[in-house]
Amino acid sequence: MALAHAILVSLLDRPHSGYEISKRFDKTVGFFWRARKQQIYQELHKLAEDGLVSAETVEQVDRPNRIVYSITDDGRQTLDDWVREPTPYPSVKEELLVKLFSLGDVEVPVLVDQVRQRLAEHEERLAYFQSLMKTHYPKPATLSGRKLGHYLGLRLGVMNEESGIAWCKEALLLLERPKAGAH
Amino acid sequence: MALAHAILVSLLDRPHSGYEISKRFDKTVGFFWRARKQQIYQELHKLAEDGLVSAETVEQVDRPNRIVYSITDDGRQTLDDWVREPTPYPSVKEELLVKLFSLGDVEVPVLVDQVRQRLAEHEERLAYFQSLMKTHYPKPATLSGRKLGHYLGLRLGVMNEESGIAWCKEALLLLERPKAGAH
DNA sequence: CTGCTCATGTAATCGGTTACATGATTGT
DNA sequence: ACAATCATGTAACCGATTACATGAGCAG
């Protein structure tokens, strides 16, 4: 279990449809836990079967009906138990690292391009996180509850991007440095 | 494809058996790309079928035979093509973040414990990376080729752990702060 | 008339984890 | 005696991705 819990957490605030959860994921939690909409729909079915969420169809005119899910007491209990379990260290799949390990058999400029691309992505994400920071959390000193959790998530995002940027710059310096011993 | 490439990169240096690759993964690449030994054995079979590696059985007395794999020209070409492809942003699955998003419904001390645990893990990994750094790369200024790639991998590890540690400390300060408005 | 948003799903496949299976040698 | 290391694998399952499928309304 894992995505199940992320969905349950989303429902703590208020009920949501699968579509809404999917959209929310893209903008907030999705930066730390990616999930496709198909997976969210399927997971919601499972959660409903297990009685951790309850479903209610909301009829709509001129557009498809929505199925709105709410967390149940069982769901709340499941979440609470899960939060107390030890948290596994996040699993990393960093292809760029694997590519760097091939240095020597692949020309340096190819890898320089890859690092530059990554740097641009980090900077874009950092800018996005910082804009969220400004609009939603101008003064973090007064936060509490759910809001504080969201703020800390954003802070982790900012700090990760910053350290990624620092690494890219260092890597570029070393990769683009004229070869030692070249005349 | 992804693990396949990580294995091919491992074979650039010299031929290895599945067992050796598995051990190597645990100590080096595995910090950035985890894989179980079963998966490595199976992937090696696939790679051999596709002609990207060649297998040779080495008979041994008093212990099981080894199957030693070497990268083929086709394998090298496949790797080279892959390195040139755009690198996807690493997929993150950070459960701790999801747990923090439940703040307000779960008691703060539970999450404080989780963050403390994470901090300890970061510090352990950082110490390990730094010890590798000292023994293998005392002066990075003179590195080139494969060695430089490995060094940069280690640097990314160090920097990630450092930023993780900084985040944990900040999070603990905010979580343990006496509640605003409490008398 | 093209593409976007809203809204839900099924099916096939791939990648990864867990469990199961074997067996000799070396070190404590 | 017991655990660890060396050395290889199969089978079942679960989780995630990709492809396929539908269909109305609205903005440019």
Side-chain angles (χ1 to χ4, degrees):
Chain A
M1 282 242 230
L3 173 63
H5 298 109
I7 290 174
L8 288 175
V9 168
S10 282
L11 296 178
L12 280 176
D13 253 354
R14 58 174 184 81
H16 288 280
S17 70
Y19 188 81
E20 284 171 327
I21 292 176
S22 171
K23 289 287 128 180
R24 249 194 150 198
F25 260 64
D26 286 352
K27 281 179 215 149
T28 58
V29 209
F31 281 98
F32 315 104
W33 195 287
R34 193 141 303 181
R36 301 267 170 279
K37 60 180 178 18
Q38 292 94 331
Q39 209 188 339
I40 288 169
Y41 284 125
Q42 281 183 321
E43 201 65 43
L44 281 168
H45 288 307
K46 276 190 222 163
L47 287 169
E49 260 182 50
D50 296 347
L52 305 181
V53 301
S54 63
E56 203 190 340
T57 303
V58 177
E59 308 262 340
Q60 296 193 132
V61 276
D62 288 350
R63 59 179 58 187
N65 292 340
R66 304 165 72 229
I67 302 169
V68 177
Y69 295 89
S70 314
I71 189 167
T72 63
D73 286 343
D74 260 25
R76 253 173 243 275
Q77 188 57 50
T78 302
L79 246 191
D80 197 75
D81 293 345
W82 171 72
V83 170
R84 281 157 213 277
E85 279 169 26
T87 311
Y89 199 88
S91 79
V92 189
K93 303 266 145 164
E94 174 53 285
E95 285 195 27
L96 190 56
L97 248 296
V98 182
K99 289 188 181 182
L100 270 175
F101 275 50
S102 72
L103 245 179
D105 289 71
V106 171
E107 305 95 80
V108 172
V110 176
L111 291 167
V112 167
D113 280 352
Q114 297 282 349
V115 176
R116 283 225 188 86
Q117 183 56 44
R118 174 59 57 86
L119 178 58
E121 282 163 11
H122 280 313
E123 277 169 343
E124 198 188 317
R125 287 165 62 100
L126 178 60
Y128 177 72
F129 288 148
Q130 281 174 338
S131 77
L132 285 181
M133 210 57 144
K134 251 183 208 160
T135 54
H136 294 294
Y137 310 95
K139 35 184 159 175
T142 58
L143 295 169
S144 64
R146 196 81 36 83
K147 268 258 167 191
L148 179 55
H150 287 197
Y151 168 78
L152 287 173
L154 213 46
R155 273 299 288 162
L156 184 64
V158 167
M159 289 167 95
N160 278 345
E161 302 307 331
E162 280 173 349
S163 98
I165 287 168
W167 178 83
C168 287
K169 286 182 175 169
E170 208 182 296
L172 286 173
L173 272 179
L174 284 169
L175 288 169
E176 292 181 309
R177 182 192 53 182
K179 275 206 189 81
H183 49 99
Chain B
M1 283 242 229
L3 173 62
H5 297 110
I7 291 174
L8 288 175
V9 168
S10 281
L11 296 178
L12 280 177
D13 254 354
R14 58 175 184 80
H16 288 279
S17 70
Y19 189 80
E20 284 171 326
I21 293 176
S22 171
K23 289 286 127 179
R24 252 193 148 200
F25 260 64
D26 286 352
K27 281 178 213 148
T28 57
V29 209
F31 281 99
F32 315 105
W33 195 288
R34 193 141 303 183
R36 301 266 169 277
K37 59 180 179 17
Q38 292 95 328
Q39 210 189 339
I40 288 170
Y41 284 124
Q42 281 183 321
E43 200 66 42
L44 279 167
H45 288 308
K46 276 190 221 164
L47 287 169
E49 259 181 49
D50 296 348
L52 305 183
V53 302
S54 64
E56 202 188 341
T57 304
V58 177
E59 308 262 340
Q60 294 192 133
V61 275
D62 289 350
R63 60 177 60 188
N65 292 340
R66 303 166 72 231
I67 302 171
V68 176
Y69 296 90
S70 314
I71 188 166
T72 62
D73 286 343
D74 260 27
R76 253 173 242 277
Q77 187 56 51
T78 301
L79 247 192
D80 197 75
D81 292 346
W82 171 71
V83 171
R84 281 157 212 278
E85 278 169 26
T87 311
Y89 198 89
S91 79
V92 190
K93 303 267 145 161
E94 175 52 286
E95 284 195 27
L96 189 56
L97 247 296
V98 182
K99 290 188 181 180
L100 269 175
F101 274 51
S102 72
L103 246 179
D105 289 72
V106 171
E107 303 96 79
V108 172
V110 175
L111 292 166
V112 166
D113 280 352
Q114 298 282 349
V115 176
R116 282 224 188 88
Q117 184 55 44
R118 174 59 57 85
L119 176 58
E121 283 163 10
H122 279 312
E123 276 168 346
E124 198 188 317
R125 288 166 62 100
L126 178 60
Y128 177 71
F129 288 148
Q130 280 174 338
S131 77
L132 285 181
M133 210 57 145
K134 253 183 207 159
T135 54
H136 294 295
Y137 310 94
K139 36 184 157 173
T142 59
L143 295 169
S144 64
R146 196 79 37 82
K147 269 257 168 193
L148 178 56
H150 287 197
Y151 169 78
L152 287 174
L154 213 47
R155 271 300 287 163
L156 184 64
V158 167
M159 290 166 94
N160 278 346
E161 302 308 329
E162 281 173 348
S163 99
I165 288 169
W167 178 83
C168 286
K169 287 183 174 167
E170 208 183 296
L172 287 173
L173 271 179
L174 283 170
L175 288 169
E176 292 182 308
R177 184 192 52 183
K179 274 207 190 81
H183 50 99

